[in-house]
Amino acid sequence: MIASDLETGRGRLAELIEAARVVLPFTGAGISTECGIPDFRSPGGTWAKFRPIPFGEFLASQDMRDESWRRRFAMEEQFAAARPGRGHRAIASLYRAGKAPAVVTQNIDNLHQASGLGADDVVELHGNTTYARCLECEQRYEITWVQKRFTDAGRAPDCRCGGHIKTATISFGQPMPEAALRRAEALTRSCDLFLAIGSSLVVWPAAGMPLLAKRIGARLAIINREPTEFDAIADLVIRDDIGSVLAPFILV
Ligand SMILES: [Zn+2]
């Protein structure tokens, strides 16, 4: 069912949440746009301007690592200034109320953690760009540290162990995070309301999760400005601004 207007949609969503035992929020770029984080895949987004650097090229070339880090530093002001939006705060309220055990996200902006969810309860399918790790020994590095070393040396630094340091994101061509995928699937199997927010649900594995939820008998609600592949099988579709839809669900 596609909600005819914002009020109807919110009312129906409140009923679905009330009736659910376990809600699993699944979030994409749309939840963070009001926080000043651009949707990288949208027309005019970063990926439209720059060809993404595949993982293999990052590994193979110092120039590509330098370029990758220069692009990341150019975004630092936006990522550092971003604060959780109304959607993040509504999910944090469900989490605190014991309705939502965790959130699964395609976002890399750390805003669910910033809204109060435990780091272990944010399942990140594409990693996290607010810190970096050594690709060999997994030592964590802060972005400011990498930036200072880059500025001093004029090139992207490597780890003490000799491994390359990369933001903790999953790049094109990089293996998917198996543990996060397994956790996302287990969470999907255990929910009775799958709440997709701000994702077009086209990128695997995001595309498989609403189907799995429906197959195990969960309800499916989709909040997204644009139509998605799964609107036809959803129990509720709200095509509206995410912050406006979820604002009433914020409990202080
Ligand atoms: Zn290392």
Side-chain angles (χ1 to χ4, degrees):
M1 164 205 155
I2 298 173
S4 53
D5 59 71
L6 182 59
E7 276 313 308
T8 310
R10 281 173 174 167
R12 183 70 188 123
L13 180 60
E15 289 169 9
L16 286 172
I17 290 173
E18 177 67 29
R21 201 174 35 81
V22 180
V23 179
L24 179 61
F26 177 94
T27 63
I31 197 172
S32 294
T33 48
E34 76 172 12
C35 312
I37 307 288
D39 180 352
F40 299 103
R41 290 183 175 81
S42 71
T46 306
W47 291 358
K49 276 182 275 182
F50 297 116
R51 183 185 68 94
I53 297 170
F55 187 55
E57 291 182 23
F58 181 94
L59 290 181
S61 150
Q62 179 74 43
D63 285 348
M64 283 296 146
R65 290 193 289 281
D66 293 351
E67 172 62 14
S68 170
W69 274 109
R70 271 193 293 268
R71 291 181 191 181
R72 176 59 186 81
F73 299 146
M75 295 288 301
E76 178 56 11
E77 217 170 303
Q78 274 165 303
F79 280 115
R83 297 290 173 267
R86 291 170 292 174
H88 299 98
R89 292 166 58 206
I91 289 172
S93 296
L94 289 174
Y95 174 77
R96 279 195 298 272
K99 273 277 184 185
V103 63
V104 178
T105 187
Q106 297 173 287
N107 298 340
I108 57 175
D109 54 30
N110 207 55
L111 289 176
H112 287 299
Q113 292 91 330
S115 75
L117 271 73
D120 289 346
D121 295 327
V122 182
V123 181
E124 296 171 317
L125 298 178
H126 298 163
N128 189 312
T129 195
T130 64
Y131 60 93
R133 278 199 195 282
C134 169
L135 291 169
E136 296 299 326
C137 73
E138 301 194 345
Q139 169 72 42
R140 176 179 167 136
Y141 290 91
E142 301 311 317
I143 302 297
T144 47
W145 182 91
V146 178
Q147 190 159 14
K148 171 138 192 356
R149 291 289 300 268
F150 191 111
T151 306
D152 291 348
R155 47 176 281 186
D158 284 333
C159 180
R160 230 171 289 125
C161 81
H164 301 315
I165 298 172
K166 181 180 168 296
T167 55
T169 49
I170 309 297
S171 298
F172 288 93
Q174 193 168 1
M176 289 297 285
E178 290 299 328
L181 284 176
R182 278 196 302 275
R183 180 100 189 278
E185 184 182 332
L187 284 164
T188 303
R189 287 184 183 281
S190 68
C191 79
D192 56 1
L193 174 61
F194 188 95
L195 185 53
I197 301 168
S199 170
S200 52
L201 302 171
V202 286
V203 184
W204 189 86
M209 295 178 60
L211 280 178
L212 175 59
K214 284 300 283 186
R215 205 162 67 227
I216 57 135
R219 298 290 186 87
L220 171 62
I222 297 174
I223 308 170
N224 199 47
R225 270 212 174 275
E226 310 297 326
T228 80
E229 294 279 317
F230 300 101
D231 290 359
I233 62 162
D235 298 275
L236 173 66
V237 178
I238 306 177
R239 285 184 192 154
D240 215 314
D241 172 64
I242 288 158
S244 307
V245 173
L246 292 176
F249 296 89
I250 300 170
L251 309 171
V252 183

